[in-house]
Amino acid sequence: MPKITFIKQDKTEQTVEFEHGKLQYLGHGLPESFLDVAMNCGIHLEHACGGSCACTTCHLIIKKGMENLSDMQDNEADRLDTAWELTTSSRLGCQAVIEGDVVAQFPMYTRNYVQEGGGIQLGQPDEKEKERKEAEVPS
């Protein structure tokens, strides 16, 4: 059973496992892709285009296990060229099908300036910025 560790923007890690052929396909991204696994396991992975390889909001940086992913197709490579924080180990969560153990990190930013769910998140504020904002709020 493949084990996937997601490293979230706040540096917390969440590890899930799945059995090939046993996940319910929810119609977003390719079956058994990062996006499909994340949706089945209750992990929020942005996917503004619904997983159709039309944006880069599901961009992930692969830290370990690149050899355990499907080969990158031309449509994914072309789309990745527009991803924020692009690295040589970047993949789109909707297109990279998981075949074995993998560790994937969420990048700090995406090109989707308004995060799904209504919150706006352009990275994590530093402590001094949080303190400044708290001091501005009248008691």
Side-chain angles (χ1 to χ4, degrees):
M1 288 198 324
K3 184 186 310 181
I4 303 93
T5 300
F6 291 95
I7 304 171
K8 298 180 181 181
Q9 291 169 325
D10 64 1
K11 306 294 186 229
T12 60
E13 296 182 9
Q14 187 169 357
T15 302
V16 297
E17 293 182 80
F18 74 95
E19 189 174 343
H20 284 296
K22 301 291 183 181
L23 284 179
Q24 176 185 1
Y25 179 56
L26 300 173
H28 292 295
L30 298 176
E32 298 186 357
S33 64
F34 283 104
L35 181 56
D36 187 35
V37 172
M39 290 184 70
N40 270 282
C41 296
I43 298 170
H44 178 73
L45 176 57
E46 286 189 67
H47 55 286
C49 72
S52 63
C53 196
C55 72
T56 61
T57 57
C58 65
H59 169 223
L60 294 167
I61 300 166
I62 309 307
K63 295 297 191 178
K64 289 184 188 172
M66 186 69 91
E67 69 280 1
N68 293 327
L69 299 176
S70 61
D71 291 336
M72 186 181 304
Q73 302 301 308
D74 289 343
N75 62 335
E76 179 184 1
D78 291 344
R79 184 59 55 204
L80 264 175
D81 282 343
T82 66
W84 188 281
E85 222 177 308
L86 183 65
T87 71
T88 56
S89 61
S90 290
R91 293 296 303 265
L92 290 181
C94 66
Q95 299 300 299
V97 175
I98 301 164
E99 299 168 353
D101 294 355
V102 183
V103 177
Q105 181 176 359
F106 289 60
M108 184 58 72
Y109 303 100
T110 71
R111 290 199 178 271
N112 187 16
Y113 294 113
V114 180
Q115 188 177 52
E116 294 168 16
I120 296 176
Q121 180 176 345
L122 297 175
Q124 300 295 326
D126 64 16
E127 287 301 314
K128 287 183 181 180
E129 178 67 14
K130 283 170 46 176
E131 289 172 8
R132 185 188 66 75
K133 286 186 177 186
E134 289 171 0
E136 290 176 0
V137 177
S139 307

